[in-house]
Amino acid sequence: MALFTRHLSHWPPWLRAKISDPTRAAYVFSALLQAEIVDIALLRGPAHDPDAIHIRSQEAANDLLALAEAGRL
């Protein structure tokens, strides 16, 4: 979580200003990354290959940016 909150310092100031709680934003990003992958693993579905995990990480990043831009973090 600390690494992610430090990463926020590289975001543009206008977007950083929309993050009211950097630690919460880190946990939200972590949840977005893990949700589908962990659920499938818990339900004994097929394991994700590295390409699918890469795609999911890009989707999670886009989702986080949308939440930040909407002032929801």
Side-chain angles (χ1 to χ4, degrees):
M1 296 305 142
L3 176 63
F4 178 85
T5 56
R6 283 193 308 272
H7 175 71
L8 291 176
S9 69
H10 300 287
W11 285 24
W14 67 268
L15 187 55
R16 246 189 351 253
K18 293 184 177 239
I19 306 291
S20 62
D21 185 344
T23 301
R24 180 175 175 274
Y27 280 109
V28 168
F29 184 58
S30 177
L32 289 168
L33 281 171
Q34 296 177 48
E36 180 182 346
I37 294 167
V38 171
D39 285 349
I40 289 171
L42 288 173
L43 298 172
R44 308 230 186 260
H48 281 78
D49 62 48
D51 290 335
I53 292 171
H54 177 74
I55 290 167
R56 183 66 208 124
S57 67
Q58 292 295 319
E59 292 169 345
N62 291 338
D63 293 343
L64 185 74
L65 286 172
L67 288 168
E69 288 173 350
R72 301 291 301 169
L73 293 174

